[in-house]
Amino acid sequence: MPLLWKGVILISLISSILADDNVISWKNEQIEAIRSANPAVGETLIVAVRHREEYLRATCDFRPPPNDLGSDVSYKVIDGIVYDNHDEVVNGIEAWDDGGDPSVCGIKILAMEDIHDESPDLEKSGWTINLAFQQGGIFGQEKLAKIEVEIHLKEDFLKPILERYLGHLPEHYDLSLIPDLTSTDELVHFQGSVKITLRTTSYPGFIIPVQMNGLD
């Protein structure tokens, strides 16, 4: 599952399974992406992001994957209520905050529909969550006050290349994986880190996409 955010190069990625609501998550030191473990049309779908506690969130917006159904709906969470892009309260979708955690912004779709699913086309984006904060300082950058996270629903989703339109050319990857050899779980658990060296070749040059496929 890929994450997309602005201004980070050095990351540490950890995958985990959360017991409540049957969700899974992927995280590093700055952000945690959360979604339902087995998304399917007709079932409950949770899509959420957890940020660092010290970041005071101003806005939280959700954009479903692009589709061919003629729908351009988007959602925003304000004071625990989900609104659409016409500022109407949305029926069938609730705000989700992982049991009252103020650092979590998410939505819970009670019955997932086709417009909430994603295309098998690798060039299409998944769910996009935009977080804006009251003050900058993300990754030590005073003017950086926004994070955009992209969450895919499909398993084994791997975009073939780093999109050139973002203005970067990857030059070197330094990857480390540390398996949990003491776990008796059927699933393999591990921690890891990756340092990516990119060369900025063109505009925009400030969006760094990081692929987090198959970490569970």
Side-chain angles (χ1 to χ4, degrees):
M1 179 191 67
L3 285 183
L4 178 66
W5 63 83
K6 301 178 181 180
V8 61
I9 296 179
L10 180 61
I11 61 172
S12 176
L13 309 177
I14 302 174
S15 173
S16 62
I17 299 177
L18 308 181
D20 295 339
D21 289 309
N22 192 28
V23 296
I24 55 176
S25 72
W26 296 260
K27 64 182 179 180
N28 60 22
E29 294 181 354
Q30 299 288 337
I31 207 80
E32 180 177 7
I34 304 168
R35 71 156 168 84
S36 295
N38 300 293
V41 172
E43 302 295 330
T44 299
L45 173 64
I46 292 173
V47 181
V49 174
R50 176 182 281 109
H51 54 79
R52 294 174 68 116
E53 293 182 358
E54 60 265 34
Y55 297 158
L56 300 178
R57 191 173 64 246
T59 61
C60 177
D61 303 310
F62 295 78
R63 188 172 67 246
N67 59 73
D68 298 324
L69 304 175
S71 174
D72 62 349
V73 67
S74 60
Y75 309 106
K76 54 188 174 183
V77 178
I78 303 176
D79 296 330
I81 305 296
V82 180
Y83 298 86
D84 63 15
N85 45 315
H86 302 291
D87 294 326
E88 299 288 341
V89 176
V90 182
N91 294 322
I93 302 182
E94 303 172 351
W96 187 87
D97 59 8
D98 196 20
D101 187 340
S103 67
V104 174
C105 185
I107 59 175
K108 181 177 183 178
I109 301 172
L110 302 184
M112 177 178 164
E113 301 178 18
D114 289 333
I115 62 171
H116 304 131
D117 205 354
E118 66 179 343
S119 169
D121 185 351
L122 295 181
E123 299 299 323
K124 297 291 183 65
S125 60
W127 276 86
T128 304
I129 302 98
N130 285 279
L131 305 177
F133 301 94
Q134 296 178 17
Q135 296 177 325
I138 300 172
F139 308 119
Q141 302 297 317
E142 182 179 350
K143 295 183 179 181
L144 185 59
K146 294 182 180 180
I147 297 178
E148 179 176 290
V149 179
E150 182 182 350
I151 299 177
H152 282 280
L153 304 183
K154 297 187 181 302
E155 300 295 337
D156 300 323
F157 190 99
L158 184 63
K159 290 190 175 181
I161 60 172
L162 178 67
E163 293 91 338
R164 295 290 182 90
Y165 70 86
L166 296 175
H168 299 291
L169 183 65
E171 292 189 335
H172 184 262
Y173 294 86
D174 184 1
L175 175 65
S176 174
L177 296 177
I178 306 174
D180 181 2
L181 301 179
T182 63
S183 174
T184 58
D185 199 314
E186 293 182 357
L187 296 176
V188 176
H189 298 267
F190 62 88
Q191 298 184 11
S193 65
V194 58
K195 184 176 181 180
I196 308 171
T197 301
L198 302 174
R199 178 161 52 91
T200 301
T201 58
S202 62
Y203 181 86
F206 53 82
I207 300 176
I208 310 293
V210 180
Q211 179 65 256
M212 297 175 66
N213 179 72
L215 291 184
D216 58 335

